[in-house]
Amino acid sequence: MNKIQLASHFLATHLNQFECPVCHSPFIDVAAGTLRCSNDHTFDLSKKGTLFFLNAPVNTEYTDEMLRNRQQVLTSGFF
């Protein structure tokens, strides 16, 4: 089993312990790595099997420029 399948199995087993963060209705289904509530709000599992209930983007200190520079350092053979 891969991480998404393991997480899906865990969620299906413990589905009654979760509720939708948008409408607070119960989750009714876990299929193909997607958790769905009774009002059709969906939340996808990440490749690592993690489930995020974020409704809006999160502010972060990371900028695109910083990430590009970091990638350049990492691929230049510096490390």
Side-chain angles (χ1 to χ4, degrees), residues 1-73:
M1 279 187 156
N2 65 28
K3 292 179 181 180
I4 293 177
Q5 291 170 331
L6 286 171
S8 293
H9 176 63
F10 175 83
L11 288 170
T13 304
H14 300 92
L15 203 56
N16 62 340
Q17 296 179 14
F18 297 93
E19 70 175 25
C20 179
V22 177
C23 64
H24 304 288
S25 64
F27 284 111
I28 59 170
D29 187 29
V30 181
T34 300
L35 188 61
R36 186 173 57 92
C37 80
S38 56
N39 289 322
D40 276 338
H41 297 118
T42 58
F43 299 89
D44 296 330
L45 290 162
S46 72
K47 287 190 280 187
K48 295 181 179 181
T50 307
L51 183 62
F52 297 103
F53 290 118
L54 300 175
N55 291 328
V58 176
N59 290 336
T60 179
E61 67 272 6
Y62 300 111
T63 64
D64 288 339
E65 180 184 7
M66 188 272 310
L67 293 172
R68 279 193 302 276
N69 291 336
R70 180 175 182 246
Q71 182 66 25
Q72 185 179 7
V73 169

